[in-house]
Amino acid sequence: MQILTALVLALGLSVFLNFVGVRSYILLGEYSGFADHFNTVGVVFLLFLLTMLALLAGRLVPRLQLAPSSLALIYAALMVATVIPTMGFGGYFIPLLAGAIYFAKPENFWEGMLWDLLPDWILVKDRELVQRLFEGSADGQSVPWEVWALPCMVWAAFVVAFFCVSLSLISLVHHQWSREERLVYPLATTPSLMVESLRIPASSFLKSKLLWCGFVLAWSFPTLRMLERIYDMNTIRGIAIPSFQILIRQLGVTFSLNTDLLVVGLSFLINLNVLFSVWFLQIIITLEEGVLGWAGILSPLPAQPHAAGSVLMAHQQVGALLFIALSSLWISRGFLRRQWRLVVQGGPSPDSHLLSPRASVVIGAAGLVYMTFFLYATGLPLLWSVAFVAVALLMFFGTARVLAQTGISRLRAPYAVAPVFTNLFGTATFGHSGLAAMGLSYVWAGDIQLFHMGTLAHALKVCEPESLGIRPRTLVAFLFGALFVGLGTTIYYYVSMGYEHGLLHGYVWYYIMSPQLHWGWVVNAMNNPNTPQWICHLFVTIGAATAWVLSWATHNFVGWPLHPVGLAFALTNTVRIDWFGIFLAWLVKGALLRYGGIVLYRKVRPLFIGLILGSCVGVGGASLFNSFYRF
């Protein structure tokens, strides 16, 4: 009965999370932060409310107490659901596909160059129906579900296939990461504490006064911003954490000094050498970018979607990321050999509590076949489809590995996959149909900053303790249940609310800028083809080689301060924004450990957990209120 109750709660909250995520962007028209990044604000917000209600219910009516295993399963389901409505899929799916039709004009040549290359089963090409989606329908006009049914089903199947591949990979390496290498999983700390609070309420972390001090401090800023929005109060508008900039004019370099209390709280849980590497290498690599520009060492390519910094620096970071992914597989080689023997011989793995190795390989292979066939069917040659999926998965896998190791809450890959291929191998290699297929890939392999590999790694970590007694089949049911209801909710509300309110009135990046940027890149690549850029090959090699040197030094010199993770993400826009908050957390944590030792660190830690909870509850509450309050 507990499991059934938990499943109903998990699916209901998954629907609610996706509904709020979609509604906030269509109606609010601005960035909400509710379901965009790996800090999973919406998940922590809902889990905190559920934990408080469960503790209260357990005190008043003990038989209504929610089991710790149930809370862990609900968290796992929400971590699947949170990927779907925005960055992970929904934010790009319908706006990008419909945008190829809506934003076509005689002067951009999209109709003549793009439309015939995009299969009819992948998007809706009826101009009048697409115009209604972007501008809203007149009263009484119904939603044309009959024309959206096939594209939605095809893309939903792709998401399911990608999810199967992600689940397979994370299931295979989870024991290696969690038990053998003992990765930190900082983002799983707060959810794990909430689960532990239900297991032993008497020693709940929520009883700490220091935690509530941090909570109130962090909660107040997003709440005051919400009140300012409602009442337009000048006195509230001035209450904010100040930010500054440092400009080096000679190099054209700017350092932003922003302080986000959620970033500070999460960064406090990260290892010191990783914190140091992120903020220090952000400064060094930003200066490197400025020096290259000053010296005239530039790529002849135009600005490209989702490049972290200049084109050359983005390739350097891609090289570092690919090295991290491949080195992680190399470190895990012994464990993976044992897994493979179990695949051949059959039987459960003693190292895994989710899927057997054979089941992981089967569902992963099925997902890979669908993903590859999908790319091939949309116009990318077969061998390049295989290569594209392989490189994309390496970038996702490497980012998930760094996320589990560092907990950088707004982590994102340094580049989209498509421009990496066209820059390294030339545009003529793929032909116009291949370039159009790469344009479609921006739905899932463009803005790589929230995806299932990363969230599944943390879901498995929270559900891992043997004391919870979670059965693998139960966990799998929760994960797939959340996936299906999340997809259904997201697709339904994007289409129906788009036709009711008009996407043009929503968040400008998703609905106006993104389609024009991505399809503009595709058409520009067709009109202005480029040969393989050997300087891009060079910078990929530089990034990989530098990451190898830092990795070698980390493993061979005790106390070596620089970790290679900083090389892969230094110039991403999120690290540019968050690096100063990471620096502050490093400074405070380092001082506490130096002068007070681990005892003082543990005493102060609840304050930073409070910053995490307060930020998530404040931002989550404000997003929820703003989504339903029409200004």
Side-chain angles (χ1 to χ4, degrees):
M1 192 63 182
Q2 270 277 0
I3 294 299
L4 181 59
T5 302
L7 181 60
V8 171
L9 280 172
L11 298 183
L13 290 174
S14 296
V15 170
F16 181 75
L17 184 98
N18 279 263
F19 171 67
V20 173
V22 173
R23 183 180 175 87
S24 63
Y25 279 110
I26 291 181
L27 298 186
L28 188 57
E30 64 182 38
Y31 175 79
S32 71
F34 189 77
D36 302 276
H37 303 290
F38 284 117
N39 52 31
T40 57
V41 166
V43 174
V44 176
F45 169 65
L46 294 176
L47 201 71
F48 173 77
L49 295 182
L50 188 59
T51 301
M52 298 296 288
L53 288 173
L55 289 171
L56 181 61
R59 182 179 289 268
L60 298 177
V61 187
R63 59 193 179 91
L64 295 180
Q65 174 69 55
L66 190 67
S69 58
S70 297
L71 188 65
L73 288 166
I74 291 170
Y75 169 76
L78 291 176
M79 288 296 276
V80 171
T82 194
V83 171
I84 300 170
T86 55
M87 295 290 184
F89 173 65
Y92 292 104
F93 162 49
I94 288 178
L96 191 63
L97 299 181
I101 308 302
Y102 182 78
F103 292 104
K105 301 175 183 177
E107 55 268 26
N108 62 23
F109 307 109
W110 288 11
E111 182 173 357
M113 299 191 70
L114 274 179
W115 287 13
D116 290 339
L117 298 175
L118 299 174
D120 292 338
W121 48 268
I122 209 73
L123 77 166
V124 174
K125 293 183 178 179
D126 187 307
R127 271 186 175 275
E128 189 271 332
L129 293 180
V130 169
Q131 183 177 358
R132 283 173 50 197
L133 176 71
F134 275 88
E135 298 176 7
S137 299
D139 292 340
Q141 288 184 296
S142 62
V143 177
W145 287 110
E146 64 280 2
V147 298
W148 283 102
L150 181 59
C152 289
M153 286 190 293
V154 170
W155 278 100
F158 182 90
V159 174
V160 173
F162 190 15
F163 177 81
C164 288
V165 175
S166 302
L167 182 61
S168 171
L169 284 172
I170 294 302
S171 179
L172 286 171
V173 302
H174 173 73
H175 180 86
Q176 170 70 22
W177 286 6
S178 178
R179 300 292 179 88
E180 301 292 333
E181 298 181 53
R182 298 183 181 277
L183 300 187
V184 182
Y185 292 87
L187 292 174
T189 299
T190 304
S192 295
L193 287 172
M194 286 190 267
V195 171
E196 188 66 14
S197 292
L198 294 190
R199 194 173 75 86
I200 313 176
S203 59
S204 171
F205 76 114
L206 295 170
K207 292 187 175 183
S208 169
K209 294 179 181 178
L210 200 56
L211 178 140
W212 290 105
C213 290
F215 181 97
V216 171
L217 175 64
W219 171 83
S220 62
F221 288 102
T223 304
L224 288 172
R225 284 194 293 270
M226 178 188 70
L227 293 175
E228 186 275 326
R229 178 180 174 83
I230 297 171
Y231 299 110
D232 195 24
M233 299 170 62
N234 291 327
T235 54
I236 294 179
R237 188 176 297 145
I239 302 176
I241 300 175
S243 60
F244 307 94
Q245 287 188 335
I246 298 174
L247 174 64
I248 304 177
R249 295 185 183 277
Q250 294 86 342
L251 300 179
V253 167
T254 301
F255 294 100
S256 297
L257 277 61
N258 303 296
T259 306
D260 185 329
L261 293 180
L262 177 56
V263 171
V264 174
L266 287 167
S267 298
F268 189 77
L269 305 176
I270 302 173
N271 292 338
L272 279 176
N273 68 324
V274 171
L275 287 175
F276 175 74
S277 300
V278 172
W279 73 259
F280 180 75
L281 289 174
Q282 199 281 328
I283 294 174
I284 296 300
I285 295 178
T286 299
L287 292 174
E288 178 192 358
E289 182 181 42
V291 169
L292 289 175
W294 174 79
I297 303 175
L298 301 168
S299 167
L301 298 169
Q304 301 190 347
H306 308 295
S310 67
V311 171
L312 295 183
M313 295 308 300
H315 282 88
Q316 179 175 302
Q317 292 167 95
V318 166
L321 177 59
L322 293 177
F323 171 83
I324 290 170
L326 292 171
S327 65
S328 176
L329 293 173
W330 175 256
I331 291 169
S332 306
R333 63 192 183 280
F335 176 74
L336 292 176
R337 284 196 201 103
R338 296 198 301 273
Q339 297 287 75
W340 179 249
R341 284 196 291 269
L342 290 170
V343 171
V344 175
Q345 298 168 3
S349 170
D351 298 330
S352 174
H353 69 292
L354 182 60
L355 296 174
S356 70
R358 178 172 288 181
S360 295
V361 170
V362 169
I363 70 165
L368 279 173
V369 169
Y370 186 91
M371 293 176 71
T372 305
F373 178 76
F374 182 92
L375 287 176
Y376 174 68
T378 54
L380 193 62
L382 182 58
L383 291 179
W384 285 115
S385 297
V386 173
F388 191 98
V389 170
V391 172
L393 290 178
L394 276 177
M395 291 178 66
F396 281 105
F397 183 77
T399 307
R401 159 73 189 219
V402 173
L403 183 70
Q405 188 167 10
T406 68
I408 300 173
S409 60
R410 298 207 298 170
L411 194 68
R412 62 178 297 171
Y415 219 167
V417 182
V420 172
F421 270 68
T422 58
N423 296 344
L424 294 181
F425 304 109
T427 53
T429 304
F430 308 101
H432 284 191
S433 61
L435 291 172
M438 287 186 178
L440 293 170
S441 76
Y442 281 112
V443 172
W444 64 279
D447 201 354
I448 303 175
Q449 59 178 310
L450 183 62
F451 50 88
H452 279 128
M453 273 192 214
T455 58
L456 283 170
H458 291 79
L460 267 60
K461 181 64 177 178
V462 171
C463 294
E464 179 183 56
E466 294 181 2
S467 60
L468 295 177
I470 296 175
R471 298 175 58 189
R473 290 184 180 180
T474 302
L475 178 55
V476 170
F478 272 73
L479 297 178
F480 275 97
L483 176 69
F484 291 130
V485 300
L487 279 171
T489 304
T490 291
I491 291 172
Y492 175 81
Y493 281 109
Y494 260 118
V495 175
S496 61
M497 292 182 70
Y499 278 101
E500 181 180 357
H501 301 283
L503 296 182
L504 282 181
H505 305 111
Y507 187 39
V508 66
W509 164 248
Y510 284 145
Y511 310 129
I512 299 175
M513 295 174 64
S514 169
Q516 297 184 77
L517 174 68
H518 293 116
W519 293 118
W521 173 84
V522 172
V523 173
N524 182 67
M526 293 176 181
N527 288 326
N528 303 286
N530 63 265
T531 57
Q533 301 296 300
W534 299 110
I535 192 171
C536 292
H537 284 265
L538 174 63
F539 272 80
V540 169
T541 304
I542 290 172
T546 308
W548 176 82
V549 170
L550 292 188
S551 181
W552 178 85
T554 299
H555 287 89
N556 287 276
F557 296 105
V558 177
W560 178 259
L562 285 178
H563 195 282
V565 295
L567 293 172
F569 307 97
L571 297 183
T572 57
N573 65 332
T574 49
V575 172
R576 285 182 187 267
I577 295 169
D578 294 340
W579 77 270
F580 188 67
I582 294 171
F583 164 76
L584 291 177
W586 170 83
L587 191 65
V588 172
K589 184 174 181 177
L592 290 173
L593 290 172
R594 181 178 180 85
Y595 297 108
I598 192 67
V599 174
L600 182 59
Y601 165 74
R602 288 175 176 169
K603 286 183 178 179
V604 176
R605 186 168 174 259
L607 174 67
F608 291 87
I609 300 292
L611 294 181
I612 297 170
L613 282 175
S615 296
C616 290
V617 173
V619 173
S623 299
L624 187 61
F625 185 85
N626 291 336
S627 298
F628 292 92
Y629 184 91
R630 300 303 300 274
F631 299 95

